[in-house]
Amino acid sequence: LNFMIAGAWATISISVLAILGSVLLGLIVSLGALSQYRVLRGANRLYVEVFRSVPTLVMILWVYYGMPALLGISLDPFAAGLLALVLSDSAFEAEIFRGGIQSIDKGQTEAADSLGLTYADRMRFVILPQAIRRILPPLGNQFVYMLKMSSLVSVIGYMELTRRANELTVVEYRPLEIYTILLLEYLVLILVVSWAVRLLERRMDKTNRR
């Protein structure tokens, strides 16, 4: 049990960092789709279509095994898994942000322009706060998705929950007990994430009503 609990911390750490990285990168990529420049819009579509089309497992294997051969950059399992998860999920995050930002009434942008706000201030104080309220449910789904997809990093040797369960099964050969514990640990983690997202939604709704 202690061996499995230690794996939970590894799963949580890579999942949280991957979520933060993919949200930040996805937001940056989404701004390209809203740009008036055709080159930035084209770059956005290329990025989204490429990384959204590649399976997460394939991306993990390519970053860990293919990137050293192609670019001469060798990463440890944690760094390679983290980079692959961020690249894969950021494409979905970018589409979520794009849809949320485009759903904001154009009058909000015109009002911000009339106040003399810069592009950065307009996004920070006017557009993004409203967009985040609308996209929080799909963002929450992506958080849960990321937590589950982190189990794929076990294929390159990262000692997270699934990898530890597999190794323990080889040693103890008690798959029923071990994989039941694995199932329960993932269930608890995902329920906690879902509860946190719903709590944040309620708080943002109260703030919005005030």
Side-chain angles (χ1 to χ4, degrees):
L1 184 60
N2 290 333
F3 186 76
M4 293 292 292
I5 291 175
W9 291 112
T11 294
I12 292 171
S13 62
I14 195 171
S15 298
V16 170
L17 291 176
I19 287 169
L20 294 176
S22 62
V23 167
L24 179 59
L25 182 58
L27 175 59
I28 295 173
V29 172
S30 69
L31 297 179
L34 307 172
S35 174
Q36 59 181 336
Y37 300 106
R38 182 177 298 178
V39 174
L40 292 179
R41 294 198 302 270
N44 167 272
R45 293 315 308 165
L46 178 63
Y47 182 93
V48 170
E49 295 303 331
V50 168
F51 288 105
R52 192 170 57 176
S53 301
V54 178
T56 304
L57 179 58
V58 175
M59 180 61 67
I60 292 172
L61 294 172
W62 186 88
V63 170
Y64 189 68
Y65 293 109
M67 200 164 65
L70 182 65
L71 304 176
I73 301 175
S74 182
L75 301 175
D76 59 69
F78 177 83
L82 178 61
L83 177 60
L85 290 175
V86 169
L87 291 175
S88 295
D89 193 57
S90 61
F92 295 94
E93 301 284 359
E95 287 296 276
I96 292 174
F97 275 109
R98 180 188 61 80
I101 292 172
Q102 289 182 333
S103 70
I104 303 301
D105 189 87
K106 291 184 178 180
Q108 298 291 317
T109 301
E110 295 171 355
D113 290 338
S114 68
L115 293 174
L117 296 180
T118 64
Y119 176 81
D121 287 340
R122 184 177 72 214
M123 295 299 295
R124 177 183 176 186
F125 297 112
V126 179
I127 305 300
L128 282 180
Q130 298 181 67
I132 288 175
R133 292 191 185 98
R134 300 185 180 185
I135 66 177
L136 192 56
L139 280 181
N141 289 335
Q142 286 303 115
F143 295 166
V144 172
Y145 171 81
M146 179 65 73
L147 192 59
K148 293 192 293 185
M149 289 299 103
S150 66
S151 63
L152 297 177
V153 185
S154 63
V155 300
I156 58 174
Y158 181 60
M159 293 295 291
E160 47 75 62
L161 273 173
T162 305
R163 178 77 178 193
R164 285 176 176 264
N166 291 335
E167 292 191 358
L168 196 59
T169 300
V170 172
V171 175
E172 301 292 340
Y173 199 69
R174 301 181 67 178
L176 176 60
E177 295 89 338
I178 293 171
Y179 287 123
T180 298
I181 292 174
L182 178 65
L183 184 150
L184 293 175
E185 284 190 289
Y186 272 111
L187 179 61
V188 170
L189 289 175
I190 290 174
L191 288 177
V192 169
V193 171
S194 301
W195 171 81
V197 171
R198 287 196 298 270
L199 180 62
L200 184 57
E201 287 180 15
R202 289 196 295 268
R203 288 189 175 182
M204 295 187 74
D205 287 340
K206 291 181 181 178
T207 302
N208 189 37
R209 286 196 294 270
R210 286 199 298 266

